[in-house]
Amino acid sequence: MVTLREYETRVVEGVRLGSADRALCAGEQLAGAGRLQVRELAGGRLELTAGSCVGVVRLDACEVRILPKYLGEELDVLRMLEYAAGRGLPALDAARTVREGAPHLRDLVALLATEHCERLLARGVRRDYVTVEEELPAVRGRLLADRQVLRHYGRLDRLACRFDEHDSDIVDNRLCAAAVDLAARTAHSPAVRARARRAAAQFAQVAPTPLGDLRTALAGLDYHRHNSHYESAHRWAALLLSGGGITDLFARGSLASRAFLIDMNVLFESFATQLLREAAAGTRHVVRGQSRHAGVLHDERTGRSYTEVRPDVLLSGTVDGAPLRRPVDIKYKLYEGRRLAAPDLYQAFLYAHALARQPGDGTPTCVLLHPGGTSASRDSVAVHRWDGATSARVRSVSLDLPSVLGALGGAERTTTLARLLAAVLE
């Protein structure tokens, strides 16, 4: 196994890629998406360059494990996933099943999917009415007269019928069956495989029909009081079956892959947005994520909107009765000890000029929220016009991910959220 961190480059000796490995490394799921760059060097060496994704890539020649750069361990990635989905922090005691060293991210997801599916089996899987069309010796349900005439004219022993069957072979259970079956066949840990095999054998009996296209199955799910207890199991199952895809779950192309990678750029944005939503709950402020603003950039020739402006977060409310609007640009970059990148500043200044509103006609301000340690300095950069007046300001706020995740599961949760909101509104 080859281990590296996000954005790290490493040269590995004595590894030669086969044709299947080369196809995987050159495909859209790895090289095309900038997740992992693999370059063959002379003398049987490989140069591996990780992007912003964490997870596991299984090659025939070796297994590549990409660890998070700004987090303590891969368990924290799972905590971020659940919190970003609005479900709080997950109970991760099931990870103790893996005893042969530190489990990698894919095995942890497979284990959590298996654990949730086991709970469904213990409770009793859901059944629903499914429409079935079948040829029977006696009428059941509705006789399909047109089909009977076309296929079995004059016969009374073969009757084309349509009826409702109360069955467990439904999408809710097929999704779980597909996930535990995949875990049973591909998990690296023998303990995870054994546990998943037991669940897969039971689900194969209640839902023998293959799942089919994952995107179609997920798009057809509708949660209500009868199946709401399936939602967590489906989330982990979909994550496992999609290869870790968050944004590309509904993209074109096959989802079957030996790569399981989670984009930390997307995850950090979702996690930080959920933090701000919870921090603003019960206050005079409202958090809107990815709000669209079509009239900011205007085409003067056509009189129409040139393009949309969409800040990651727009926080609005009042301070001492005066209206406030504060755009927040979320960047998964470690700025500790470094200057803010010019492209990030330009984007943030546009948000400040076009969308920000400061109480008392103060300087419009945009916040640049990024990961960083508790000791990270807070930069503040202003735009000075030709006459010396300040027209906009960008302030950086760092988010110490390990300490925030630790606080969310303890007594310091409220204090941590209040401190974050105060730093953004400062």
Side-chain angles (χ1 to χ4, degrees):
M1 178 183 291
V2 181
T3 301
L4 64 161
R5 298 273 177 182
E6 296 170 82
Y7 303 110
E8 182 183 352
T9 298
R10 176 167 296 183
V11 176
V12 184
E13 303 283 347
V15 178
R16 296 184 183 275
L17 298 181
S19 57
D21 288 344
R22 291 190 182 96
L24 175 63
C25 293
E28 285 297 316
Q29 287 190 321
L30 291 185
R35 294 170 170 173
L36 178 67
Q37 300 291 333
V38 180
R39 191 160 69 98
E40 293 185 85
L41 305 177
R45 298 181 300 159
L46 281 185
E47 183 185 76
L48 304 172
T49 302
S52 62
C53 293
V54 300
V56 180
V57 178
R58 287 184 174 178
L59 306 175
D60 292 335
C62 65
E63 183 173 280
V64 182
R65 182 178 180 181
I66 306 173
L67 302 178
K69 185 176 182 179
Y70 307 141
L71 288 170
E73 55 184 6
E74 289 163 300
L75 285 174
D76 289 337
V77 177
L78 301 185
R79 293 187 176 97
M80 288 179 67
L81 278 168
E82 283 294 84
Y83 182 82
R87 295 177 175 85
L89 296 180
L92 295 175
D93 292 340
R96 298 174 184 172
T97 299
V98 185
R99 302 183 184 277
E100 60 280 0
H104 58 56
L105 187 60
R106 188 183 188 280
D107 272 14
L108 290 175
V109 172
L111 187 56
L112 285 169
T114 301
E115 183 187 52
H116 282 282
C117 289
E118 287 172 341
R119 292 174 185 171
L120 295 175
L121 290 168
R123 177 175 177 171
V125 296
R126 177 174 176 261
R127 294 174 176 268
D128 202 355
Y129 285 99
V130 180
T131 300
V132 179
E133 293 183 358
E134 192 174 345
E135 295 175 354
L136 303 173
V139 176
R140 180 180 179 185
R142 177 184 175 187
L143 177 66
L144 302 178
D146 54 345
R147 187 174 303 179
Q148 182 69 24
V149 171
L150 291 173
R151 295 184 180 180
H152 306 294
Y153 181 75
R155 295 187 60 179
L156 298 179
D157 59 333
R158 303 287 292 175
L159 303 176
C161 302
R162 177 184 294 152
F163 55 93
D164 289 335
E165 184 78 65
H166 196 236
D167 197 0
S168 62
D169 193 10
I170 56 178
V171 174
D172 286 342
N173 294 322
R174 291 173 191 170
L175 182 57
C176 295
V180 291
D181 176 68
L182 181 64
R185 290 184 290 105
T186 62
H188 182 270
S189 164
V192 176
R193 288 200 306 272
R195 191 166 170 178
R197 274 198 299 268
R198 291 191 291 269
Q202 296 181 65
F203 266 107
Q205 296 178 3
V206 300
T209 303
L211 177 66
D213 183 67
L214 176 61
R215 303 181 194 94
T216 303
L218 294 176
L221 288 175
D222 181 27
Y223 295 104
H224 42 78
R225 65 186 182 90
H226 295 296
N227 70 342
S228 59
H229 57 292
Y230 272 77
E231 193 168 359
S232 293
H234 286 170
R235 175 170 173 77
W236 292 113
L239 188 64
L240 179 64
L241 292 169
S242 67
I246 295 179
T247 56
D248 60 352
L249 188 57
F250 297 97
R252 292 183 178 181
S254 173
L255 293 173
S257 174
R258 291 178 291 167
F260 182 89
L261 296 170
I262 293 176
D263 192 333
M264 292 299 296
N265 282 316
V266 179
L267 178 55
F268 179 69
E269 180 183 327
S270 301
F271 177 76
T273 301
Q274 183 62 23
L275 277 177
L276 291 173
R277 283 200 181 103
E278 186 177 353
T283 69
R284 297 184 300 273
H285 301 93
V286 176
V287 171
R288 296 171 60 197
Q290 294 290 328
S291 58
R292 300 172 180 268
H293 304 269
V296 172
L297 298 178
H298 197 71
D299 191 331
E300 294 184 329
R301 183 179 60 85
T302 62
R304 298 178 179 178
S305 172
Y306 191 79
T307 187
E308 286 185 340
V309 172
R310 190 168 56 182
D312 295 326
V313 168
L314 187 62
L315 192 151
S316 57
T318 59
V319 176
D320 297 329
L324 174 139
R325 191 162 57 234
R326 179 66 48 83
V328 180
D329 193 25
I330 302 172
K331 298 294 185 186
Y332 185 64
K333 296 180 180 180
L334 190 64
Y335 275 122
E336 194 168 359
R338 296 168 47 202
R339 295 163 63 95
L340 300 178
D344 296 341
L345 284 174
Y346 299 154
Q347 184 179 26
F349 278 129
L350 172 61
Y351 295 155
H353 273 287
L355 303 174
R357 184 174 182 179
Q358 194 74 4
D361 295 326
T363 304
T365 302
C366 176
V367 167
L368 193 63
L369 185 62
H370 60 89
T374 54
S375 61
S377 59
R378 294 184 181 178
D379 292 337
S380 182
V381 184
V383 172
H384 286 174
R385 297 188 313 212
W386 62 271
D387 58 357
T390 301
S391 61
R393 178 177 290 109
V394 172
R395 289 192 304 101
S396 69
V397 174
S398 63
L399 194 63
D400 186 27
L401 290 175
S403 64
V404 168
L405 284 167
L408 288 175
E412 298 181 358
R413 183 189 191 104
T414 303
T415 304
T416 300
L417 293 172
R419 191 182 300 122
L420 173 62
L421 183 63
V424 171
L425 294 174
E426 184 180 320

